[in-house]
Amino acid sequence: MEKLGASELKEKGKEFRRTILKTIANAGSGHPGGSLSEIDILTVLYFRQMKYDAKRPDWPERDRFILSKGHGCPGLYVVLAEAGYFPKEELTKLRKIGSMLQGHPNNSTPGIEITTGSLGQGLSVANGIALAGRLDKKDYKVYLILGDGELQEGSVWEAAMTAGFKKLSNIIAIVDNNKLAQDNYVKDLKDIEPIDKKFEAFGWETQRINGHDYEEIIDALENAAKAKEKPQLIIADTVKGKGVSFMENQKGWHGKAPNAEQLKQALEELK
Amino acid sequence: MKPIRDGYGEGLVKLGKVNKNVVVLDAGVSDSTRTEWFKKEFPERFFNMGISEADMVCAAAGMSTCGKVAFATSFAGFLLGRTMDQIFVSVAYSKTNVKLAGSHAGVSVGEDGPTAQSINDIAMMRAMPNMVVVVPADAKEAEKAVFALAEHKGPAYIRLARSDSEEFFGDNYEFKIGKATVMKKGKNAVIIAIGVMVKEAMAAAEILEADGLDVGVVNMSTIKPLDREAIIKAAETGVVITAEDHNIIGGLGSAVAEVLAEEKLDVAFKRIGAQDRFAESGPAKELFEKYGLNGKHIAAAVKAVAKK
Ligand SMILES: Cc1ncc(C[n+]2csc(CCOP(=O)(O)OP(=O)(O)O)c2C)c(N)n1
Ligand SMILES: [Mg+2]
């Protein structure tokens, strides 16, 4: 696969934002805020960083990706469709009966490694994949995106300790640090900062970037992929609802679909 | 029409006014569970613990050792699924005065799909010694149940639904733990239902009436302790159907079957509910149609077993 540069990726990301919103509006429900905050990272992962073959989702050498914050799946589905895991028409069936695209990711969908939707499980699964890879002498990487609110789950920290202790340096975890959870701002709900110091104390190497700056995302991922000693954490500072003025940093846009008028305005802004 | 979870939110606010020992905990979903209404009235007695269900359940147990009546709230699946051992040790075995409230239970959650559609919560809580298990059929019953659970000293689980429900009960309705309510009398068969399925059972009774069958409906809003007398009475018709938005294994259907067997009651019997499989994302109404959970399916089941 040819490697896209920052400006081409950025264009792609913009188109993905539009498709995410149309997809959620058409479904009538879903999670726009967290899909828009994670999408630039997903774009770089799938169109530059990761090694995969969409026609062979079970190719044993593939890099793995886990969306631990499973509710952000509209962002992931849009990217998987563009990558060729399934036809784009499937996006119009999101959350409808009989669809392969469930409201939260299920591993019967091509490209989905494991079911998520209950927060706090992805990193442990990633550890398992990394340990199996070590056993089988594979050199794949395991990428995952965690929510910042998700870091409040205790199970994340059990997993963080495991990865650090076992020196799972092929794990690259990215925190979509959009400062909001469902019913409140993360810092008011239960502050998770300093994220870097916490993970470092657990044996991780960390980087902090602007999660909407393509140059920074590319650099951070390439840097993390070179790791030989420690698991890698990228704290990506993002904005929930990024790109849509009335959604940005708003509590109300965690799990609500835009209506027709809101969609129109949003698409106008994303031209 | 009113969501059952709204009755929980209103009940907490009313209870908070008359009982200063009531505290409410949530795990980052207070907008969905309606505990934010309590927070507005009594901010100092509200604790949003963040997305940390296990931490919340044990903290609630700790508060109860200091005389608090602690309502720990989240989506049913996460509240119980992530905290089974915490509940087993710090709540059930410790007999702490913790009330677990699980909203968004069942396939009726709809579009969010199976990770959010808790279909085994009743089974988990039934098998927990010392645990009272309550499933209100409408918002008013939920409100009344909140008061009854606060009166009851010890662990309890209350199961709440997200979707709109019929309003069956008024202000003078008396909810008693362990007491079923006859919603409609009937001679030919009785449907024993819980939660959102009471409305479906009523619809089934109406369909069957048009077919000349006189079918009763019982709201078994406490699953533990179970109203055995109500089941024995229902069995007199010779046909008993259970209806729950939950797996048929371990829930209401199983509980009723146990009584029928132990009492040697020879009846035609069928369990309506999730047939030991995961559903999927979709509008609740369409899911009920596809997975055999609506009034039509209940009516068909009554007819099928009544014939044999
Ligand atoms: C174990 C568990 N508890 C609660 C929820 C309900 N829930 C879904 S998303 C969410 C907020 C997540 O916030 P964050 O991780 O920051 O995600 P983002 O901001 O990217 O949407 C909550 C509480 C869940 N899915 N799983
Ligand atoms: Mg967040």
Side-chain angles (χ1 to χ4, degrees):
Chain A
M1 194 179 68
E2 40 146 2
K3 278 201 169 170
L4 297 182
S7 61
E8 294 158 294
L9 288 165
K10 194 171 176 183
E11 274 313 299
K12 256 192 178 330
K14 198 170 194 187
E15 196 51 45
F16 288 150
R17 283 200 158 75
R18 296 170 58 84
T19 313
I20 286 169
L21 291 165
K22 285 190 246 176
T23 301
I24 296 175
N26 181 66
S29 64
H31 298 82
S35 294
L36 293 174
S37 61
E38 78 196 3
I39 190 63
D40 299 315
I41 300 156
L42 281 173
T43 304
V44 179
L45 281 173
Y46 276 88
F47 297 99
R48 184 179 169 101
Q49 184 67 24
M50 280 177 22
K51 171 180 76 180
Y52 63 89
D53 178 356
K55 293 290 159 261
R56 273 195 301 160
D58 57 355
W59 178 39
E61 310 303 324
R62 72 191 182 281
D63 288 338
R64 276 34 174 204
F65 176 75
I66 296 170
L67 186 63
S68 193
K69 42 164 273 191
H71 60 281
C73 57
L76 179 58
Y77 292 154
V78 163
V79 165
L80 290 177
E82 175 74 16
Y85 280 93
F86 46 77
K88 288 184 185 161
E89 295 87 81
E90 291 297 329
L91 296 173
T92 62
K93 299 181 211 151
L94 171 65
R95 291 178 162 247
K96 306 222 151 107
I97 211 153
S99 169
M100 74 154 73
L101 300 184
Q102 292 294 295
H104 290 81
N106 174 255
N107 59 351
S108 61
T109 306
I112 303 293
E113 301 285 350
I114 190 88
T115 299
T116 52
S118 178
L119 297 166
Q121 304 190 15
L123 187 51
S124 294
V125 176
N127 286 343
I129 295 172
L131 287 167
R134 185 177 278 178
L135 196 60
D136 296 341
K137 306 213 170 6
K138 303 269 186 214
D139 68 351
Y140 56 68
K141 305 276 181 199
V142 192
Y143 295 90
L144 77 153
I145 295 183
L146 296 149
D148 53 345
E150 182 180 14
L151 297 187
Q152 294 171 340
E153 285 289 355
S155 56
V156 172
W157 300 97
E158 296 181 17
M161 217 183 299
T162 299
F165 177 67
K166 304 237 179 248
K167 299 195 174 7
L168 301 177
S169 59
N170 57 338
I171 289 186
I172 300 171
I174 302 135
V175 177
D176 179 1
N177 195 28
N178 62 23
K179 324 294 187 294
L180 265 166
Q182 176 180 315
D183 67 355
N184 210 344
Y185 293 91
V186 174
K187 72 169 171 34
D188 298 329
L189 192 52
K190 181 155 75 184
D191 199 3
I192 51 160
E193 294 285 2
I195 305 174
D196 49 355
K197 292 212 173 66
K198 287 188 172 111
F199 273 86
E200 281 159 17
F202 281 26
W204 289 59
E205 239 158 37
T206 67
Q207 306 177 69
R208 190 154 201 149
I209 60 164
N210 173 349
H212 300 303
D213 181 315
Y214 279 81
E215 304 277 2
E216 289 191 30
I217 301 170
I218 291 169
D219 282 353
L221 287 171
E222 286 180 356
N223 194 21
K226 289 186 205 129
K228 291 267 181 298
E229 301 258 312
K230 296 178 172 184
Q232 300 293 307
L233 185 79
I234 298 171
I235 303 156
D237 284 316
T238 54
V239 175
K240 200 155 177 169
K242 173 75 176 174
V244 181
S245 61
F246 57 91
M247 289 187 182
E248 283 191 2
N249 207 25
Q250 293 301 310
K251 268 189 219 175
W253 285 102
H254 169 72
K256 187 174 75 177
N259 63 28
E261 201 171 306
Q262 290 161 335
L263 176 65
K264 201 169 144 223
Q265 190 192 330
L267 294 179
E268 196 62 38
E269 291 181 19
L270 287 166
K271 263 197 180 139
Chain B
M1 297 287 264
K2 192 170 174 179
I4 295 174
R5 60 178 161 151
D6 286 16
Y8 173 69
E10 290 168 0
L12 288 179
V13 171
K14 288 186 184 168
L15 178 67
K17 287 189 180 137
V18 296
N19 187 338
K20 299 287 175 242
N21 283 325
V22 168
V23 292
V24 176
L25 298 87
D26 202 293
V29 290
S30 61
D31 48 347
S32 300
T33 60
R34 308 306 194 214
T35 61
E36 66 179 10
W37 300 345
F38 184 91
K39 175 193 177 180
K40 229 171 134 197
E41 295 283 330
F42 311 105
E44 71 292 348
R45 284 193 270 150
F46 176 76
F47 302 88
N48 197 334
M49 305 300 284
I51 313 169
S52 317
E53 295 81 5
D55 183 40
M56 172 182 70
V57 165
C58 289
M63 289 183 186
S64 90
T65 67
C66 305
K68 306 298 174 200
V69 185
F71 284 80
T73 320
S74 186
F75 296 157
F78 309 134
L79 172 72
L80 308 184
R82 294 189 74 85
T83 69
M84 251 329 81
D85 191 48
Q86 280 80 0
I87 296 172
F88 192 74
V89 176
S90 298
V91 179
Y93 187 27
S94 298
K95 275 204 209 170
T96 45
N97 205 9
V98 173
K99 319 301 171 185
L100 302 157
S103 76
H104 293 60
V107 173
S108 57
V109 161
E111 287 84 351
D112 274 344
T115 57
Q117 296 165 352
S118 170
I119 54 167
N120 59 357
D121 52 306
I122 297 173
M124 293 192 272
M125 288 300 104
R126 274 188 72 219
M128 204 58 86
N130 295 332
M131 188 68 64
V132 164
V133 181
V134 166
V135 188
D138 78 353
K140 185 55 77 177
E141 188 168 39
E143 180 193 318
K144 299 272 180 178
V146 164
F147 275 78
L149 293 182
E151 285 282 296
H152 168 81
K153 208 162 168 349
Y157 171 55
I158 178 168
R159 178 190 222 233
L160 308 160
R162 165 176 178 260
S163 55
D164 270 343
S165 191
E166 214 78 48
E167 292 176 64
F168 297 110
F169 302 112
D171 268 325
N172 45 13
Y173 168 65
E174 240 186 279
F175 173 83
K176 269 181 97 174
I177 293 172
K179 191 94 190 71
T181 321
V182 175
M183 307 295 288
K184 177 182 176 301
K185 285 198 171 127
K187 289 195 289 287
N188 302 125
V190 169
I191 307 163
I192 301 177
I194 49 166
V196 297
M197 298 302 281
V198 170
K199 144 181 106 177
E200 301 297 339
M202 295 298 275
E206 210 166 292
I207 294 170
L208 292 162
E209 195 175 310
D211 293 340
L213 281 172
D214 180 21
V215 175
V217 175
V218 168
N219 170 24
M220 190 61 75
S221 45
T222 311
I223 300 205
K224 211 176 119 184
L226 195 61
D227 188 342
R228 297 175 76 94
E229 289 309 313
I231 296 166
I232 293 166
K233 187 100 185 73
E236 286 170 10
T237 62
V239 181
V240 173
I241 305 289
T242 56
E244 61 198 305
D245 183 6
H246 181 275
N247 199 345
I248 55 164
I249 296 177
L252 170 74
S254 296
V256 171
E258 288 160 16
V259 174
L260 294 174
E262 283 167 357
E263 301 289 338
K264 297 198 175 73
L265 298 169
D266 185 16
V267 295
F269 177 65
K270 178 137 182 87
R271 294 167 294 162
I272 295 286
Q275 302 295 313
D276 198 27
R277 60 173 171 162
F278 292 101
E280 61 184 292
S281 290
K285 215 172 159 185
E286 289 174 35
L287 291 176
F288 268 38
E289 177 67 29
K290 178 164 175 179
Y291 290 90
L293 291 163
N294 64 26
K296 242 173 38 195
H297 297 107
I298 301 173
V302 171
K303 274 204 218 162
V305 296
K307 238 188 261 155
K308 279 182 199 153

